[in-house]
Amino acid sequence: MASSSDPSLNEELKCFICMEVFTDPVTTPCGHNFCRTCLSKCWPNSRTCFCPLCKEKYSRRPKLKINTTLRDVVQHFTELNLRESEVFCDFCDERKQKAVKTCLTCQCSYCDSHLEPHLRVPRLKKHTLINAVENLEDYICQKHERPLELFCCDDQTCVCVCLSCTGGEHMTHNTVPIEEESREKKNQLVQTQIDVYQMIQDRMKKIQEIQHSVELRKRNTEEEKFSSVEIFTDLIQSIERCQSDLLKMIEEQQKAAEKQAEYLIKELHQEITELKRRNTELEQLSHTEDHLHLIQMSSSLYSRPHTKNWTEIRIDSDVNSLKRALTELKKTLDETLNEKLGQTGLKFVQKFAVDVTLDPDTANPYLILSDDGKQVSDGGSEQNVPENPKRFDESVCVLAKQGFSSGRFYYEVQVKGKTEWDLGVIRESINREGEIRLRPEDGFWIVVLRNENHYIACESPSVSLSLRVKPEKVGVFVDYEEGLVSFYDVESRSHIYSFTGQTFTEKLYPYLNPSLNDEGKNSNPLIITPVR
């Protein structure tokens, strides 16, 4: 594999695998170029091959040919680079010829013609010749102007054979010929190259593993989506059938009620007719002068007419009993689905758990922090703490030492037994003096508990939260790029609230406020707990 020292060399002329200038460049079917040797090492007797750059797979190993156009371009740039670093003969008078050798003894460079005496004269043949170099001073001892021929292993530096060098400060040191040290270095370089190549292979393998995991997850996600849609479709169809049956049943019940009402009204009309007839007879009898007839008729007319007791008979007008049952069913279904979705969401965000420790430099003077920085409570009296511009002077709160300006993070806090608390995240530049306003536009994304059972999301305006159970441990999750801050009840594995669509431009810090002690009613500390 070739190398080039030209810093302006186009990156397109470098192999992605070895990061050197192409040597015998070949092109894969997907259009990417690599050194032939590098690509052969990536495909050691593999049935299935893939492009090291874009990972496109080939069922058969492609037949690769040298990309002659690219090879010529590489050669052209290499030649240009070599011309720029050409060394010329120091003894040519008119037209300077290219030097082929540099004599470290004479400290001059020679072309083929002027080099001839060094190859013929016995005294000159003893001089040290190397390939022509431009930076000759790097090969000469600057103190003694003699060739650097030895390497001091103790000081890791090159020295000349002059007694002042080898017999002075390096006299007791281990020195070896430069050629010997060069061979050793070259062996080390070869081993380093092998190690680096192995590192490249390991990382390429890791890329394959990650890509495979993503593909597997993608397939599983699609299967899960299909299964979920199928279940919801069946559920919707079942509900639609129930709706149709319910409407039909309600209509049938209405018809039955109307028929019953019609029968009852007919029966009532019959009784009214009979009662009117009886009333007429009673009226006539009341005006008779025939005393005997009056006494004789009394047994039949004076008794109460035989009629139905209508006081307990009625048509039920309440048709909401089933509606109430359906409403309760819907509420239960919603709660169950939200709980399951909350459990899935919590399981996902817990993967981004971070170790959070409280920063005493930010703690309000009334707060007491544990030695491990995991607990905070109101001490009831002002502590003797040093002044610090990061400290909150009025609000009884504290920040974590750890700040985050990208990615996702999650932490959990135990709030068990407390009647008031504040939890969430804040931006770094918030005002820490005087009264603070807990709202997103002022850099606060906070959920609070007040009066033991009143939970509030500090939005603008604030949002009152209705929680089925009182959380004992609260999880806080942040997705910086998505602008998301979410809160979870860890024990019930349910979602509490989310701030969405936020824009973060500064570092965010976890924020804890245990609130005032309240004469011991709120004395429990807030405790940062490990995520399980």
Side-chain angles (χ1 to χ4, degrees):
M1 289 167 282
S3 177
S4 174
S5 60
D6 183 3
S8 64
L9 186 64
N10 194 317
E11 288 297 321
E12 295 297 327
L13 300 181
K14 291 185 178 181
C15 172
F16 171 76
I17 300 173
C18 65
M19 300 308 295
E20 302 281 358
V21 179
F22 286 119
T23 298
D24 293 336
V26 293
T27 305
T28 59
C30 55
H32 295 116
N33 300 302
F34 306 94
C35 295
R36 186 171 191 171
T37 303
C38 293
L39 196 58
S40 297
K41 290 180 180 179
C42 290
W43 295 349
N45 303 320
S46 299
R47 291 185 179 180
T48 302
C49 304
F50 63 92
C51 172
L53 191 57
C54 70
K55 305 306 176 187
E56 181 174 339
K57 293 183 178 179
Y58 311 113
S59 57
R60 293 183 179 180
R61 183 167 179 162
K63 293 182 179 180
L64 302 174
K65 295 182 179 180
I66 300 295
N67 187 331
T68 54
T69 302
L70 181 58
R71 183 187 60 187
D72 293 343
V73 171
V74 171
Q75 185 176 353
H76 173 71
F77 271 91
T78 304
E79 289 174 354
L80 284 177
N81 185 46
L82 290 174
R83 287 195 202 105
E84 290 175 1
S85 59
E86 281 182 350
V87 180
F88 294 95
C89 178
D90 292 324
F91 292 91
C92 291
D93 292 329
E94 296 179 357
R95 185 180 178 182
K96 291 285 187 181
Q97 297 295 317
K98 181 180 177 181
V100 292
K101 293 289 182 181
T102 295
C103 178
L104 297 181
T105 308
C106 300
Q107 299 184 29
C108 294
S109 297
Y110 300 92
C111 63
D112 282 324
S113 300
H114 292 103
L115 180 65
E116 189 272 335
H118 277 76
L119 304 177
R120 175 175 49 82
V121 179
R123 180 175 58 84
L124 296 178
K125 290 171 69 175
K126 296 179 180 180
H127 289 189
T128 304
L129 296 176
I130 61 172
N131 291 331
V133 293
E134 189 175 14
N135 52 333
L136 183 58
E137 63 275 6
D138 293 343
Y139 296 81
I140 303 298
C141 176
Q142 299 302 307
K143 290 182 180 180
H144 311 109
E145 295 187 352
R146 300 191 64 173
L148 295 170
E149 299 179 10
L150 299 174
F151 181 78
C152 177
C153 300
D154 296 278
D155 292 338
Q156 292 291 298
T157 185
C158 296
V159 296
C160 66
V161 294
C162 177
L163 287 177
S164 298
C165 264
T166 56
E169 56 183 309
H170 300 286
M171 182 174 63
T172 59
H173 293 179
N174 179 28
T175 58
V176 297
I178 282 182
E179 292 81 0
E180 182 180 331
E181 181 64 22
S182 176
R183 284 193 299 271
E184 181 64 27
K185 295 292 185 188
K186 191 171 291 186
N187 291 335
Q188 293 176 8
L189 286 175
V190 170
Q191 184 58 50
T192 302
Q193 186 180 16
I194 293 172
D195 294 342
V196 169
Y197 179 77
Q198 186 59 49
M199 291 171 67
I200 293 171
Q201 297 302 306
D202 292 342
R203 281 149 182 78
M204 290 174 65
K205 184 178 179 181
K206 180 57 68 176
I207 289 173
Q208 285 183 281
E209 290 177 4
I210 294 172
Q211 288 179 329
H212 175 71
S213 298
V214 170
E215 288 297 324
L216 182 60
R217 180 182 176 85
K218 186 177 180 180
R219 288 197 299 271
N220 292 339
T221 299
E222 291 301 319
E223 290 175 2
E224 182 71 15
K225 284 166 61 178
F226 178 79
S227 177
S228 299
V229 169
E230 197 173 45
I231 292 172
F232 271 101
T233 301
D234 291 344
L235 182 60
I236 291 169
Q237 290 175 349
S238 177
I239 292 173
E240 287 176 345
R241 285 195 301 271
C242 289
Q243 180 187 32
S244 177
D245 294 343
L246 173 62
L247 294 176
K248 185 177 179 181
M249 183 186 70
I250 291 174
E251 289 176 357
E252 290 176 350
Q253 288 178 344
Q254 177 62 25
K255 289 179 180 179
E258 291 175 357
K259 189 172 182 179
Q260 182 189 14
E262 184 181 344
Y263 174 79
L264 293 174
I265 290 171
K266 182 179 179 181
E267 193 173 356
L268 283 166
H269 277 304
Q270 289 175 350
E271 288 194 359
I272 290 171
T273 301
E274 180 61 28
L275 290 170
K276 284 181 177 180
R277 185 187 62 78
R278 173 68 67 90
N279 188 56
T280 301
E281 290 177 351
L282 290 172
E283 180 67 23
Q284 291 173 351
L285 190 61
S286 66
H287 293 91
T288 185
E289 295 294 334
D290 188 343
H291 304 294
L292 179 62
H293 178 69
L294 178 64
I295 294 171
Q296 290 174 340
M297 293 297 294
S298 62
S299 61
S300 60
L301 294 178
Y302 290 174
S303 61
R304 188 178 181 85
H306 180 70
T307 58
K308 186 181 292 186
N309 182 8
W310 292 94
T311 57
E312 300 297 327
I313 297 175
R314 62 187 179 87
I315 299 296
D316 189 4
S317 61
D318 185 8
V319 294
N320 293 323
S321 58
L322 186 57
K323 179 181 177 181
R324 285 195 295 270
L326 288 173
T327 302
E328 288 299 319
L329 177 61
K330 177 181 179 298
K331 182 180 178 182
T332 303
L333 181 62
D334 288 343
E335 290 176 351
T336 302
L337 287 175
N338 287 334
E339 183 177 350
K340 292 299 181 184
L341 290 173
Q343 290 177 4
T344 304
L346 182 62
K347 185 177 180 181
F348 171 76
V349 301
Q350 284 179 324
K351 297 177 182 179
F352 303 97
V354 294
D355 184 21
V356 173
T357 306
L358 299 176
D359 185 358
D361 291 340
T362 66
N364 179 277
Y366 279 80
L367 293 181
I368 296 177
L369 272 60
S370 61
D371 292 338
D372 62 359
K374 299 296 184 181
Q375 301 186 28
V376 58
S377 60
D378 173 33
S381 60
E382 189 170 2
Q383 314 294 314
N384 184 18
V385 294
E387 291 187 7
N388 195 305
K390 297 194 299 181
R391 192 179 306 283
F392 290 88
D393 62 352
E394 285 194 18
S395 180
V396 285
C397 57
V398 62
L399 303 183
K401 293 180 180 180
Q402 297 78 14
F404 304 88
S405 56
S406 64
R408 300 164 174 166
F409 65 93
Y410 172 84
Y411 69 98
E412 293 179 353
V413 179
Q414 180 178 304
V415 298
K416 184 178 181 181
K418 295 193 66 62
T419 58
E420 291 194 356
W421 50 258
D422 301 2
L423 284 178
V425 293
I426 60 99
R427 68 176 175 227
E428 186 174 24
S429 66
I430 61 160
N431 180 31
R432 309 187 187 199
E433 297 180 355
E435 186 178 355
I436 58 178
R437 305 185 69 179
L438 304 178
R439 57 184 189 177
E441 50 263 46
D442 289 324
F444 291 82
W445 292 270
I446 306 294
V447 165
V448 305
L449 168 64
R450 296 289 182 265
N451 301 324
E452 195 170 350
N453 291 304
H454 188 198
Y455 296 90
I456 303 169
C458 297
E459 290 270 20
S460 296
S462 61
V463 178
S464 184
L465 306 176
S466 177
L467 305 184
R468 291 191 299 125
V469 295
K470 186 171 183 176
E472 295 186 352
K473 187 183 293 184
V474 176
V476 183
F477 170 71
V478 176
D479 189 325
Y480 195 95
E481 282 73 23
E482 287 294 324
L484 173 69
V485 181
S486 294
F487 297 81
Y488 294 87
D489 180 346
V490 178
E491 300 302 327
S492 67
R493 306 192 68 80
S494 59
H495 175 252
I496 296 175
Y497 188 77
S498 287
F499 294 86
T500 60
Q502 307 299 306
T503 300
F504 304 130
T505 57
E506 299 180 23
K507 188 174 286 189
L508 299 180
Y509 286 86
Y511 168 98
L512 285 77
N513 183 334
S515 246
L516 298 177
N517 185 292
D518 193 18
E519 298 180 350
K521 296 177 183 177
N522 191 39
S523 60
N524 283 11
L526 291 177
I527 305 174
I528 299 171
T529 58
V531 177
R532 293 182 175 85

